[in-house]
Each structure stands twice: as structure tokens, then as C-alpha cells.
Amino acid sequence: MNFKEFLTSKLTIASIIFVIIYQIIMSIVYIPGYQHVTDHVDRTKVALVNQDHSSQGKKIAQGIKTGIEKQHQSPTVKKYGDVDQATKDLRNKKNLMVIKIPANTTKKIMQGERIPLKFITNPYDDETSLRIASEVQSAVVNSLNTELARAGNIQVITKMLLQTQGKQLIQEKMQQVAAQNPSVVANQQARVATQQQITQQVTQGIEKQAEKYVQSNPVQPKTDHISKKGSANLAIIIGVMLISLGCFISVMSAAILMFSQFENALLKGSSRLQAFLMYEGAFVIISVVGPIIGLLIFKQLVHASTAVFFQMYLQNVLMTFISVQFVSLFTFLLGRIGILINLPLALVQTLVSGAIMPVQLLPAPYQFFYYILPLPNSYQANISILSGVNLDKIPGYDFKLIMMGIIVAGLTLIVIYTRKFHNKINENVS
């Protein structure tokens, strides 16, 4: 065989086509998803709880809301009356963070004290939400520092200067007026009017003087986390997603090999149901063995506890077996080229998992995959184990995974009983 014959063979041409198809798949899956996210940040929400019901407190709350929403590509601000409800929605990923204005904010401003503005966040949230929340927090603190430094501290310093210097200045100016025009002092009404005018002039002068002593950063931000297990870093958030994704990808190649074994069982006289049950039984063993090493490495890298390791291990055993049902459906339907369907399903799950961005920022087709593919539920269960947040929802995530597996396994059985299999082992499905 010469190079021309090698290059024009069916397998070489098929390889070239596969490379082109995978490049197209990568572009179609990722670029629209990320582009859509940057254009729809306003679909996310920030919770605002104002416990200072004075006119100044309401003004500050409105200023925060307006300041956030007027920025290009910024979240929407939703006002809450109850901080517990706002925090509950944060746990359920209905908002990115909670901003709490304390009840004594106005009083502290007038007393020249620092304002303990509270930000409540979920340190195990997706990477995009954490970034947006961090940007919002910085913008709010900087804006309030500028505004309150003028609106609050100028009033405080003016009041202090009036107490220490104002009375003496007013008295001196009244004495000057009395010396120049004694009739003003003799007339009570004229004396009161003159004193009010002098007081106003002195106050205006002291306000200008107070601006030189303004406190530059009156806001003292305080961040609380809803997780009791500290903060996560990007390695943990993305790592948990990759562990779950690994369960799906690892069985893609295994399904192709086991499909050949299924055909072999048929050739040796097994019924279709017997061959399928043996196929599933082999994957039960694979699901139990497969996640161990990867999770042990993850445990060492992120310093997870042994209890967390065992919980995540059981979760990923389930994820691996449910992933088998998904990849098997298209493998039995299309044979070995079923990977052309399974690979895009693996790729799209990286976007809809909940580790990179909120699902509400994604286009509608991606949100559809969020509800029918296993990775989002597996990721949410694993991140709950790590963070300690929403542990009560893990049974719900697992129930959805099990129902998905049952439905897809049923569809696979229908395919097995309705399609024809080739008579030769390992022959490509046409």
C-alpha cells in the first residue's frame, strides 16, 4: 500500500471527518453558551434586606439598588423584608448573595461610626456567580464609601465643629453687629433674625471646613458564608464537576467495548435479555471499582475528610451506573459511532452542571439538557456533601438520577429488541 492508497482509505477519510465533526461540536457547544452568559447577567439576582426603616436608611437601600442595576450587564436587585428568606433563596441558588443594611445604620452615620454592612454569600457557588457577587460587593462598598463620606461624616464633623467653635464665632459676630448697629440688639425681633442669619453663615463656613476632615472609608463590609465548612476555591468547585463528568466520560469507551461483548454473547446463544443483564451486571462492578482512585486523589488534593470521601464515593458509584444507561442507549442504537452523540452530551454537561455558571444564564436548549442529563444532579449532591449546604436535598437529587436511569434503560431495551445485530463480532454498524 502506498501513501496515496493509505490516505484515501475509508478509515483515513473517516478519521478526517471525525476530526472536523468534533471541532464543529466544540464550537457549537461552548461558544454560544459562554456568549449567552455575558449578555444575560441581568437574569441573576442580588437580595437586598434593609433593616433601617428611617428615611436615610431607605435612601441608602434605593441607592444600592440603583447603583447596581445601572451598571452594564449587572444583576437585578430584589428587595426582601426577611433576611432568613433571602438566605434560604441563596441556598437554593435563587440569588447570588444577600446584602443586609443594619437597623442602626443612620444612627451610626450621625455618630461618625463605621457601618458594618453585611454580605452573605455561598462560597461553594458556581464560578460565574462567585465572580459576579465579588464585583457587586466591591462596587457597593466603593459607592457607599463615597456617598456616606459626604452625606454622613460631613454632618457629624459639622456638628462637632459647631459645638466646639460655632458658639464662639456666633457670639463674636453678634458683638461686632452690636458695636456697629446698637439698635439691632435693642430690638428683640431684629436681634433674633440677625442671630439666625449669622448662625446660618457660620454653619455654611464650618461645613466647608468639615469636608477637609471627612472619613474616607466609613463602610466596614463584613462577609458571612452560609457554609459551615469554610470557603471553596476554584479547584474544588471545578474539581467536583470534573469528578462527576469523569464518571460519564469513563464509561463511553467502556460501553463500546462492552457492546462487542454483548454481540459476542448473542453469537454464543444468549437471548437479548440475558446478554443485556450480563452487560448491566458487568457495569455494576465497573461502577463500584471505577471511582475509587480518582476520588482518593481528589481527597488528598483538597484535604477532604474520610467521611466526605465515602459519601462522595457512593454518590459517584450511582453517577457512573446512571451514566452507563445514557451512553448505552446511543451505543446500542448506533453502534460504535454512537460516540458522536455521547461526546456532545458529555461536553454540554460541563456547562449545565452548575459549577461554571447559573443555568438561568444559558440558552433555552441548554436548560433543557440541564433537566434530562445526570451530571447536574450528581454535581449538586457532591457539592452539598462538601459544603454541608442543602444536605436534605441529596435524596431528591439521587431520586432524579435513579428515575433517569430507569427511563433510559427502558428505552435501551426497546432498541435491543427492535434492531438487528450483525453476525460478525466487532463489525462496524452501517
PDB file of all heavy atoms in Angstrom, residues 329-355:
ATOM      1  N   LEU A 329     -27.610   3.750  25.532  1.00  0.00           N
ATOM      2  CA  LEU A 329     -28.736   3.971  24.629  1.00  0.00           C
ATOM      3  C   LEU A 329     -28.250   4.271  23.218  1.00  0.00           C
ATOM      4  O   LEU A 329     -28.704   3.661  22.240  1.00  0.00           O
ATOM      5  CB  LEU A 329     -29.607   5.118  25.164  1.00  0.00           C
ATOM      6  CG  LEU A 329     -30.748   5.575  24.233  1.00  0.00           C
ATOM      7  CD1 LEU A 329     -31.721   4.426  23.968  1.00  0.00           C
ATOM      8  CD2 LEU A 329     -31.470   6.777  24.828  1.00  0.00           C
ATOM      9  N   PHE A 330     -27.311   5.196  23.091  1.00  0.00           N
ATOM     10  CA  PHE A 330     -26.846   5.585  21.764  1.00  0.00           C
ATOM     11  C   PHE A 330     -25.837   4.591  21.196  1.00  0.00           C
ATOM     12  O   PHE A 330     -25.686   4.474  19.983  1.00  0.00           O
ATOM     13  CB  PHE A 330     -26.259   6.999  21.824  1.00  0.00           C
ATOM     14  CG  PHE A 330     -27.271   8.026  22.215  1.00  0.00           C
ATOM     15  CD1 PHE A 330     -27.287   8.561  23.500  1.00  0.00           C
ATOM     16  CD2 PHE A 330     -28.241   8.429  21.318  1.00  0.00           C
ATOM     17  CE1 PHE A 330     -28.234   9.492  23.869  1.00  0.00           C
ATOM     18  CE2 PHE A 330     -29.212   9.365  21.678  1.00  0.00           C
ATOM     19  CZ  PHE A 330     -29.207   9.891  22.958  1.00  0.00           C
ATOM     20  N   THR A 331     -25.151   3.859  22.078  1.00  0.00           N
ATOM     21  CA  THR A 331     -24.247   2.812  21.596  1.00  0.00           C
ATOM     22  C   THR A 331     -25.041   1.667  20.981  1.00  0.00           C
ATOM     23  O   THR A 331     -24.705   1.170  19.901  1.00  0.00           O
ATOM     24  CB  THR A 331     -23.357   2.297  22.746  1.00  0.00           C
ATOM     25  OG1 THR A 331     -22.615   3.381  23.293  1.00  0.00           O
ATOM     26  CG2 THR A 331     -22.394   1.226  22.240  1.00  0.00           C
ATOM     27  N   PHE A 332     -26.115   1.235  21.646  1.00  0.00           N
ATOM     28  CA  PHE A 332     -26.950   0.168  21.090  1.00  0.00           C
ATOM     29  C   PHE A 332     -27.738   0.650  19.870  1.00  0.00           C
ATOM     30  O   PHE A 332     -28.036  -0.133  18.976  1.00  0.00           O
ATOM     31  CB  PHE A 332     -27.904  -0.367  22.162  1.00  0.00           C
ATOM     32  CG  PHE A 332     -27.278  -1.348  23.097  1.00  0.00           C
ATOM     33  CD1 PHE A 332     -26.817  -0.964  24.345  1.00  0.00           C
ATOM     34  CD2 PHE A 332     -27.137  -2.683  22.721  1.00  0.00           C
ATOM     35  CE1 PHE A 332     -26.234  -1.873  25.202  1.00  0.00           C
ATOM     36  CE2 PHE A 332     -26.546  -3.600  23.585  1.00  0.00           C
ATOM     37  CZ  PHE A 332     -26.091  -3.200  24.821  1.00  0.00           C
ATOM     38  N   LEU A 333     -28.067   1.922  19.856  1.00  0.00           N
ATOM     39  CA  LEU A 333     -28.848   2.456  18.735  1.00  0.00           C
ATOM     40  C   LEU A 333     -27.996   2.626  17.486  1.00  0.00           C
ATOM     41  O   LEU A 333     -28.429   2.297  16.369  1.00  0.00           O
ATOM     42  CB  LEU A 333     -29.464   3.803  19.137  1.00  0.00           C
ATOM     43  CG  LEU A 333     -30.374   4.485  18.107  1.00  0.00           C
ATOM     44  CD1 LEU A 333     -31.608   3.625  17.835  1.00  0.00           C
ATOM     45  CD2 LEU A 333     -30.786   5.861  18.609  1.00  0.00           C
ATOM     46  N   LEU A 334     -26.760   3.128  17.663  1.00  0.00           N
ATOM     47  CA  LEU A 334     -25.918   3.471  16.514  1.00  0.00           C
ATOM     48  C   LEU A 334     -24.646   2.650  16.428  1.00  0.00           C
ATOM     49  O   LEU A 334     -23.847   2.845  15.506  1.00  0.00           O
ATOM     50  CB  LEU A 334     -25.559   4.959  16.574  1.00  0.00           C
ATOM     51  CG  LEU A 334     -26.728   5.946  16.573  1.00  0.00           C
ATOM     52  CD1 LEU A 334     -26.217   7.360  16.808  1.00  0.00           C
ATOM     53  CD2 LEU A 334     -27.516   5.860  15.282  1.00  0.00           C
ATOM     54  N   GLY A 335     -24.420   1.775  17.387  1.00  0.00           N
ATOM     55  CA  GLY A 335     -23.176   1.025  17.384  1.00  0.00           C
ATOM     56  C   GLY A 335     -22.035   1.897  17.866  1.00  0.00           C
ATOM     57  O   GLY A 335     -22.218   2.825  18.653  1.00  0.00           O
ATOM     58  N   ARG A 336     -20.850   1.638  17.337  1.00  0.00           N
ATOM     59  CA  ARG A 336     -19.662   2.342  17.819  1.00  0.00           C
ATOM     60  C   ARG A 336     -19.640   3.821  17.461  1.00  0.00           C
ATOM     61  O   ARG A 336     -18.951   4.597  18.101  1.00  0.00           O
ATOM     62  CB  ARG A 336     -18.413   1.625  17.304  1.00  0.00           C
ATOM     63  CG  ARG A 336     -18.261   0.237  17.930  1.00  0.00           C
ATOM     64  CD  ARG A 336     -17.695  -0.781  16.974  1.00  0.00           C
ATOM     65  NE  ARG A 336     -17.795  -2.148  17.512  1.00  0.00           N
ATOM     66  CZ  ARG A 336     -18.883  -2.901  17.404  1.00  0.00           C
ATOM     67  NH1 ARG A 336     -19.952  -2.451  16.766  1.00  0.00           N
ATOM     68  NH2 ARG A 336     -18.916  -4.109  17.924  1.00  0.00           N
ATOM     69  N   ILE A 337     -20.389   4.205  16.445  1.00  0.00           N
ATOM     70  CA  ILE A 337     -20.444   5.639  16.117  1.00  0.00           C
ATOM     71  C   ILE A 337     -21.420   6.382  17.030  1.00  0.00           C
ATOM     72  O   ILE A 337     -21.629   7.591  16.867  1.00  0.00           O
ATOM     73  CB  ILE A 337     -20.806   5.878  14.635  1.00  0.00           C
ATOM     74  CG1 ILE A 337     -22.198   5.322  14.326  1.00  0.00           C
ATOM     75  CG2 ILE A 337     -19.754   5.285  13.719  1.00  0.00           C
ATOM     76  CD1 ILE A 337     -22.689   5.699  12.938  1.00  0.00           C
ATOM     77  N   GLY A 338     -22.009   5.676  17.983  1.00  0.00           N
ATOM     78  CA  GLY A 338     -22.842   6.349  18.977  1.00  0.00           C
ATOM     79  C   GLY A 338     -22.069   7.373  19.789  1.00  0.00           C
ATOM     80  O   GLY A 338     -22.654   8.260  20.411  1.00  0.00           O
ATOM     81  N   ILE A 339     -20.728   7.272  19.737  1.00  0.00           N
ATOM     82  CA  ILE A 339     -19.896   8.251  20.447  1.00  0.00           C
ATOM     83  C   ILE A 339     -20.090   9.656  19.886  1.00  0.00           C
ATOM     84  O   ILE A 339     -19.844  10.649  20.566  1.00  0.00           O
ATOM     85  CB  ILE A 339     -18.411   7.839  20.387  1.00  0.00           C
ATOM     86  CG1 ILE A 339     -17.596   8.614  21.440  1.00  0.00           C
ATOM     87  CG2 ILE A 339     -17.837   8.046  18.985  1.00  0.00           C
ATOM     88  CD1 ILE A 339     -16.180   8.097  21.599  1.00  0.00           C
ATOM     89  N   LEU A 340     -20.549   9.753  18.639  1.00  0.00           N
ATOM     90  CA  LEU A 340     -20.826  11.065  18.048  1.00  0.00           C
ATOM     91  C   LEU A 340     -21.981  11.772  18.761  1.00  0.00           C
ATOM     92  O   LEU A 340     -22.113  12.982  18.684  1.00  0.00           O
ATOM     93  CB  LEU A 340     -21.155  10.924  16.561  1.00  0.00           C
ATOM     94  CG  LEU A 340     -19.981  10.572  15.640  1.00  0.00           C
ATOM     95  CD1 LEU A 340     -20.472  10.347  14.223  1.00  0.00           C
ATOM     96  CD2 LEU A 340     -18.928  11.665  15.684  1.00  0.00           C
ATOM     97  N   ILE A 341     -22.823  11.006  19.433  1.00  0.00           N
ATOM     98  CA  ILE A 341     -23.888  11.587  20.254  1.00  0.00           C
ATOM     99  C   ILE A 341     -23.429  11.723  21.699  1.00  0.00           C
ATOM    100  O   ILE A 341     -23.671  12.738  22.364  1.00  0.00           O
ATOM    101  CB  ILE A 341     -25.165  10.724  20.191  1.00  0.00           C
ATOM    102  CG1 ILE A 341     -25.624  10.553  18.736  1.00  0.00           C
ATOM    103  CG2 ILE A 341     -26.269  11.343  21.049  1.00  0.00           C
ATOM    104  CD1 ILE A 341     -26.036  11.833  18.066  1.00  0.00           C
ATOM    105  N   ASN A 342     -22.745  10.700  22.186  1.00  0.00           N
ATOM    106  CA  ASN A 342     -22.346  10.697  23.598  1.00  0.00           C
ATOM    107  C   ASN A 342     -21.334  11.786  23.927  1.00  0.00           C
ATOM    108  O   ASN A 342     -21.371  12.366  25.018  1.00  0.00           O
ATOM    109  CB  ASN A 342     -21.773   9.327  23.969  1.00  0.00           C
ATOM    110  CG  ASN A 342     -22.845   8.265  24.054  1.00  0.00           C
ATOM    111  OD1 ASN A 342     -23.975   8.552  24.452  1.00  0.00           O
ATOM    112  ND2 ASN A 342     -22.530   7.034  23.671  1.00  0.00           N
ATOM    113  N   LEU A 343     -20.414  12.070  23.012  1.00  0.00           N
ATOM    114  CA  LEU A 343     -19.419  13.099  23.292  1.00  0.00           C
ATOM    115  C   LEU A 343     -20.046  14.478  23.453  1.00  0.00           C
ATOM    116  O   LEU A 343     -19.748  15.179  24.436  1.00  0.00           O
ATOM    117  CB  LEU A 343     -18.346  13.120  22.203  1.00  0.00           C
ATOM    118  CG  LEU A 343     -17.241  14.162  22.412  1.00  0.00           C
ATOM    119  CD1 LEU A 343     -16.474  13.894  23.702  1.00  0.00           C
ATOM    120  CD2 LEU A 343     -16.282  14.181  21.226  1.00  0.00           C
ATOM    121  N   PRO A 344     -20.934  14.931  22.540  1.00  0.00           N
ATOM    122  CA  PRO A 344     -21.597  16.225  22.778  1.00  0.00           C
ATOM    123  C   PRO A 344     -22.388  16.263  24.081  1.00  0.00           C
ATOM    124  O   PRO A 344     -22.447  17.295  24.747  1.00  0.00           O
ATOM    125  CB  PRO A 344     -22.516  16.371  21.560  1.00  0.00           C
ATOM    126  CG  PRO A 344     -21.887  15.552  20.501  1.00  0.00           C
ATOM    127  CD  PRO A 344     -21.266  14.386  21.214  1.00  0.00           C
ATOM    128  N   LEU A 345     -22.991  15.120  24.449  1.00  0.00           N
ATOM    129  CA  LEU A 345     -23.719  15.081  25.729  1.00  0.00           C
ATOM    130  C   LEU A 345     -22.768  15.296  26.901  1.00  0.00           C
ATOM    131  O   LEU A 345     -23.128  15.950  27.888  1.00  0.00           O
ATOM    132  CB  LEU A 345     -24.438  13.737  25.887  1.00  0.00           C
ATOM    133  CG  LEU A 345     -25.637  13.490  24.975  1.00  0.00           C
ATOM    134  CD1 LEU A 345     -26.266  12.140  25.279  1.00  0.00           C
ATOM    135  CD2 LEU A 345     -26.678  14.594  25.112  1.00  0.00           C
ATOM    136  N   ALA A 346     -21.566  14.745  26.792  1.00  0.00           N
ATOM    137  CA  ALA A 346     -20.570  14.954  27.848  1.00  0.00           C
ATOM    138  C   ALA A 346     -20.142  16.413  27.894  1.00  0.00           C
ATOM    139  O   ALA A 346     -20.023  17.012  28.977  1.00  0.00           O
ATOM    140  CB  ALA A 346     -19.362  14.057  27.604  1.00  0.00           C
ATOM    141  N   LEU A 347     -19.932  17.013  26.737  1.00  0.00           N
ATOM    142  CA  LEU A 347     -19.450  18.393  26.683  1.00  0.00           C
ATOM    143  C   LEU A 347     -20.495  19.375  27.212  1.00  0.00           C
ATOM    144  O   LEU A 347     -20.170  20.286  27.972  1.00  0.00           O
ATOM    145  CB  LEU A 347     -19.075  18.764  25.237  1.00  0.00           C
ATOM    146  CG  LEU A 347     -17.918  17.967  24.613  1.00  0.00           C
ATOM    147  CD1 LEU A 347     -17.690  18.398  23.182  1.00  0.00           C
ATOM    148  CD2 LEU A 347     -16.647  18.142  25.431  1.00  0.00           C
ATOM    149  N   VAL A 348     -21.744  19.184  26.802  1.00  0.00           N
ATOM    150  CA  VAL A 348     -22.775  20.140  27.207  1.00  0.00           C
ATOM    151  C   VAL A 348     -23.000  20.088  28.714  1.00  0.00           C
ATOM    152  O   VAL A 348     -23.388  21.092  29.338  1.00  0.00           O
ATOM    153  CB  VAL A 348     -24.085  19.882  26.438  1.00  0.00           C
ATOM    154  CG1 VAL A 348     -24.837  18.677  26.985  1.00  0.00           C
ATOM    155  CG2 VAL A 348     -24.994  21.114  26.485  1.00  0.00           C
ATOM    156  N   GLN A 349     -22.712  18.928  29.322  1.00  0.00           N
ATOM    157  CA  GLN A 349     -22.908  18.817  30.772  1.00  0.00           C
ATOM    158  C   GLN A 349     -21.907  19.646  31.567  1.00  0.00           C
ATOM    159  O   GLN A 349     -22.167  19.985  32.719  1.00  0.00           O
ATOM    160  CB  GLN A 349     -22.835  17.346  31.190  1.00  0.00           C
ATOM    161  CG  GLN A 349     -24.057  16.561  30.766  1.00  0.00           C
ATOM    162  CD  GLN A 349     -24.027  15.127  31.258  1.00  0.00           C
ATOM    163  OE1 GLN A 349     -24.595  14.789  32.305  1.00  0.00           O
ATOM    164  NE2 GLN A 349     -23.370  14.264  30.511  1.00  0.00           N
ATOM    165  N   THR A 350     -20.763  19.977  30.968  1.00  0.00           N
ATOM    166  CA  THR A 350     -19.824  20.852  31.676  1.00  0.00           C
ATOM    167  C   THR A 350     -20.418  22.234  31.865  1.00  0.00           C
ATOM    168  O   THR A 350     -20.130  22.911  32.855  1.00  0.00           O
ATOM    169  CB  THR A 350     -18.494  20.956  30.914  1.00  0.00           C
ATOM    170  OG1 THR A 350     -18.713  21.589  29.644  1.00  0.00           O
ATOM    171  CG2 THR A 350     -17.886  19.602  30.682  1.00  0.00           C
ATOM    172  N   LEU A 351     -21.255  22.664  30.919  1.00  0.00           N
ATOM    173  CA  LEU A 351     -21.876  23.990  31.026  1.00  0.00           C
ATOM    174  C   LEU A 351     -23.092  23.982  31.943  1.00  0.00           C
ATOM    175  O   LEU A 351     -23.338  24.936  32.673  1.00  0.00           O
ATOM    176  CB  LEU A 351     -22.280  24.506  29.639  1.00  0.00           C
ATOM    177  CG  LEU A 351     -21.146  24.838  28.665  1.00  0.00           C
ATOM    178  CD1 LEU A 351     -21.717  25.323  27.345  1.00  0.00           C
ATOM    179  CD2 LEU A 351     -20.211  25.886  29.243  1.00  0.00           C
ATOM    180  N   VAL A 352     -23.879  22.908  31.878  1.00  0.00           N
ATOM    181  CA  VAL A 352     -25.143  22.884  32.629  1.00  0.00           C
ATOM    182  C   VAL A 352     -24.988  22.273  34.015  1.00  0.00           C
ATOM    183  O   VAL A 352     -25.968  22.168  34.751  1.00  0.00           O
ATOM    184  CB  VAL A 352     -26.232  22.122  31.833  1.00  0.00           C
ATOM    185  CG1 VAL A 352     -26.422  22.720  30.453  1.00  0.00           C
ATOM    186  CG2 VAL A 352     -25.908  20.629  31.729  1.00  0.00           C
ATOM    187  N   SER A 353     -23.780  21.878  34.386  1.00  0.00           N
ATOM    188  CA  SER A 353     -23.581  21.198  35.667  1.00  0.00           C
ATOM    189  C   SER A 353     -23.920  22.076  36.867  1.00  0.00           C
ATOM    190  O   SER A 353     -24.350  21.592  37.900  1.00  0.00           O
ATOM    191  CB  SER A 353     -22.125  20.733  35.787  1.00  0.00           C
ATOM    192  OG  SER A 353     -21.246  21.854  35.817  1.00  0.00           O
ATOM    193  N   GLY A 354     -23.710  23.386  36.736  1.00  0.00           N
ATOM    194  CA  GLY A 354     -23.875  24.286  37.877  1.00  0.00           C
ATOM    195  C   GLY A 354     -22.569  24.674  38.515  1.00  0.00           C
ATOM    196  O   GLY A 354     -22.547  25.410  39.499  1.00  0.00           O
ATOM    197  N   ALA A 355     -21.448  24.213  37.949  1.00  0.00           N
ATOM    198  CA  ALA A 355     -20.136  24.551  38.504  1.00  0.00           C
ATOM    199  C   ALA A 355     -19.553  25.798  37.872  1.00  0.00           C
ATOM    200  O   ALA A 355     -18.825  26.547  38.521  1.00  0.00           O
ATOM    201  CB  ALA A 355     -19.168  23.382  38.303  1.00  0.00           C
TER     202      ALA A 355
END
